[in-house]
Amino acid sequence: MKTTVVRKATTLALAAFAALGGLAHAADKSVTQPEMNYQAGASPLAGEPMYQSSNPKAPPMTQAEFDKARNIYFQRCAGCHGVLRKGATGKPLTPDITLSKGTDYLKVFIKYGSPAGMPNWGTSGELSDDEVDLMARYIQQDPPQPPEFGMADMKKTWKVVIPPDQRPTKKMNNYNISNIFSTTLRDAGEIALIDGDTKQIINVIKTGYAVHISRLSASGRYLFVIGRDAKINMIDLWMAKPDTVAEVRVGLEARSVDTSKYKGYEDKLAIAGSYWPPQYTIMRGDTLEPLKIVSTRGMTVDKQEYHPEPRVASIVASHFKPEWVVNVKETGKTLLVDYSDINALKTTEIGTARFLHDGGLDSTHRYFMVAANQSNKIAAIDLKEGKLAALIDVGKIPHPGRGANFVHPKYGPVWSTGDLGDDGISLIGTDPVHHKAQAFKVVETIKSQGGGSLFIKSHPKSHHLYVDNPLNPDPAISHTVAVYDINNLTKGYTVLPIAQWAGLNDGGAMRVVQPEYNKAGDEVWFAVWSAKDKQSAIVVVDDKTLKLKAVIKDPRLITPTGHFNVYNTQNDIY
């Protein structure tokens, strides 16, 4: 009897996968645990009120069931399938597709997963059978739409804590500001400012939820951080105790912020990109007053089809022109936004590849290298000429952070990225003048410890390359980092036991994430990220000897993840 039931479940699962297109890629694409860990990230939209639209053809749901299912969807599913379920990196789950499949098919699909990318939510224990049934009925309902977030909404959240004319006219502290680290305390909704010289915490500042990145003004005086809930804090590093001087919320979910850095526009403007609503906002650089909102809804670069929620993934300030590089995820477009006159905004639209994510500049700052992660490509954008230099095929789901620049002993200047979906590290030539044959091509692929890499880092004063793997399911890998000698890449990597060096013994699920150099380039900092109710730490490694140099522990260091050195971030050194 048991064998018959299993066979029946397997048959239903295969039918469900085929009905939803799941088997279309099963032969050529397998989904790894690191990919599942990455794609299933929670969305702040889970807590937003939304209207239940009743579809008479859909299975009945009470308001309580609908609200519970909506919360699960935005916690587990929206990152892949989109806010409106129109499809993003995952397939569309709109009623025109799901209703014809029926609840039984959908339950099996949700429970068992798919070789094409659907996690096995039921058999993994993430969802109970009742929750699987709930979600199967939910995705047959009309998708609820979160509210828009326009200028009036932003103005209600805008707060100038200390006006510009009341701020210091000179630096009022003795900190070596250029060597301060801004460290995300993810689940606490805070950042810690840590003195890179003394390794002491300067201040812990309340921010939005899960700060995604920290960016600096051109002068290096102001630090901007943005949470996943789209709240921006502007922090004045000149104050006796650096703290927030202005804040605003630019949407309901976001990832990116930067400032105007071109000569003559230093510290004048700031920009932030939102996941929802799909738009970017230009603000005053000294107060965060929102000045202009621009929607990113539009046609995709490949099929030329309208997409209702193209998320703004990453933004970087050009060093060549008064422009921001705005990368739009779902449409696969890189926008060069000219901020010299925001009342007559000029935008250059460059078609690259879909699902743009993160990236960084090459060593000359002329080329922006951005990962189109689900397309397995890196797009090289020429910021001087304002055009696409190349689309480069790389490994499975590249996730470079800002990448790593160094001089390869054979191929000259390269920019590098690790992958989430495999163990490859792609080294891409970036010198079309002296190394034309290697320019914008993968000149070498080296092996890492495994998949699940989020960040890769080097420094002009170092001969090392560091690669993390925090989303790898093997603790022997996620607790360590791989280090390569740039001058002898063929000898492979050295493994540093970062989590072991942290000396945390409370049973937390530690993950080592984001190598970050200090200003001098002789130390590398790592976050040892544990659970919210467990102890975490920052581990500092001597780059010359690869030995432990310091461990920073403090009860206030709750779930540290990203950390950004002021000088390196300000000057795009990585």
Side-chain angles (χ1 to χ4, degrees), residues 237-560:
L237 299 177
W238 278 14
M239 295 170 63
K241 187 176 185 180
D243 211 336
T244 297
V245 293
E247 60 184 50
V248 71
R249 196 176 182 194
V250 292
L252 300 178
E253 184 172 1
R255 296 293 189 276
S256 52
V257 66
D258 214 325
T259 64
S260 54
K261 292 186 176 179
Y262 189 68
K263 186 176 181 179
Y265 297 89
E266 298 96 329
D267 296 24
K268 300 294 185 185
L269 296 168
I271 182 173
S274 301
Y275 267 28
W276 187 269
Q279 61 195 29
Y280 62 85
T281 302
I282 299 173
M283 299 156 284
R284 281 186 56 176
D286 59 351
T287 64
L288 293 182
E289 178 185 4
L291 302 173
K292 191 178 189 70
I293 304 170
V294 181
S295 174
T296 54
R297 291 179 169 104
M299 313 305 284
T300 62
V301 71
D302 48 5
K303 296 182 179 180
Q304 298 290 294
E305 295 176 343
Y306 178 75
H307 201 291
E309 51 169 310
R311 298 173 285 183
V312 178
S314 56
I315 299 175
V316 69
S318 172
H319 294 255
F320 281 84
K321 300 176 184 177
E323 289 180 338
W324 289 303
V325 187
V326 178
N327 296 284
V328 186
K329 200 176 187 82
E330 276 70 31
T331 52
K333 294 177 180 178
T334 296
L335 310 178
L336 305 182
V337 180
D338 184 337
Y339 54 75
S340 60
D341 184 354
I342 67 170
N343 294 315
L345 201 66
K346 296 186 288 291
T347 302
T348 300
E349 180 185 291
I350 301 173
T352 48
R354 292 191 68 188
F355 311 116
L356 296 173
H357 193 60
D358 55 354
L361 297 166
D362 80 310
S363 59
T364 70
H365 295 165
R366 174 171 176 171
Y367 300 98
F368 182 66
M369 314 290 286
V370 59
N373 53 21
Q374 291 294 332
S375 297
N376 301 329
K377 296 180 185 295
I378 297 292
I381 310 297
D382 185 339
L383 301 185
K384 183 177 180 180
E385 298 296 331
K387 64 181 183 182
L388 178 67
L391 268 180
I392 306 147
D393 291 320
V394 291
K396 189 176 182 183
I397 312 184
H399 193 288
R402 306 204 85 178
N405 290 299
F406 61 91
V407 178
H408 191 285
K410 181 177 180 180
Y411 300 113
V414 297
W415 178 91
S416 50
T417 178
D419 298 332
L420 265 162
D422 61 31
D423 62 357
I425 298 168
S426 299
L427 311 183
I428 299 170
T430 56
D431 181 8
V433 177
H434 300 106
H435 297 82
K436 186 175 181 179
Q438 289 79 37
F440 309 116
K441 297 175 183 177
V442 176
V443 297
E444 186 175 356
T445 300
I446 59 178
K447 295 293 185 181
S448 72
Q449 294 193 82
S453 175
L454 289 181
F455 299 100
I456 185 169
K457 193 64 65 78
S458 190
H459 190 278
K461 296 180 180 178
S462 171
H463 65 90
H464 288 131
L465 175 70
Y466 295 82
V467 182
D468 69 12
N469 298 90
L471 297 186
N472 195 289
D474 184 352
I477 296 175
S478 63
H479 288 187
T480 62
V481 295
V483 189
Y484 302 79
D485 182 346
I486 289 167
N487 298 317
N488 190 6
L489 291 169
T490 58
K491 77 174 185 180
Y493 52 79
T494 299
V495 177
L496 302 186
I498 303 296
Q500 178 184 326
W501 284 348
L504 306 177
N505 300 309
D506 59 358
M510 298 174 289
R511 285 169 282 182
V512 175
V513 64
Q514 192 162 343
E516 178 75 354
Y517 281 84
N518 64 345
K519 179 185 176 180
D522 59 9
E523 292 178 356
V524 187
W525 292 37
F526 299 90
V528 182
W529 167 25
S530 195
K532 187 175 182 178
D533 61 345
K534 302 293 184 180
Q535 189 178 27
S536 294
I538 303 291
V539 170
V540 182
V541 172
D542 186 317
D543 180 64
K544 304 298 182 186
T545 64
L546 300 184
K547 301 296 184 182
L548 175 65
K549 187 170 185 177
V551 177
I552 305 171
K553 294 181 183 178
D554 191 289
R556 295 171 291 175
L557 289 179
I558 299 170
T559 60

Side-chain angles (χ1 to χ4, degrees), residues 64-143:
E65 287 179 321
F66 182 86
D67 289 341
K68 180 179 179 180
R70 179 177 60 80
N71 188 279
I72 292 173
Y73 180 82
F74 283 101
Q75 288 285 351
R76 307 286 179 82
C77 316
C80 278
H81 299 287
V83 170
L84 303 178
R85 306 209 309 261
K86 293 284 188 179
T89 53
K91 294 183 178 297
L93 293 175
T94 45
D96 60 311
I97 298 171
T98 56
L99 276 170
S100 63
K101 309 308 173 191
T103 302
D104 287 339
Y105 275 104
L106 296 172
K107 284 169 63 175
V108 174
F109 184 74
I110 295 167
K111 181 170 182 175
Y112 290 94
S114 146
M118 180 73 171
N120 54 326
W121 293 113
T123 56
S124 68
E126 293 285 336
L127 297 179
S128 67
D129 285 345
D130 287 344
E131 289 171 329
V132 168
D133 175 76
L134 188 70
M135 297 310 295
R137 288 183 286 134
Y138 174 78
I139 61 175
Q140 296 175 73
Q141 312 291 325
D142 292 336

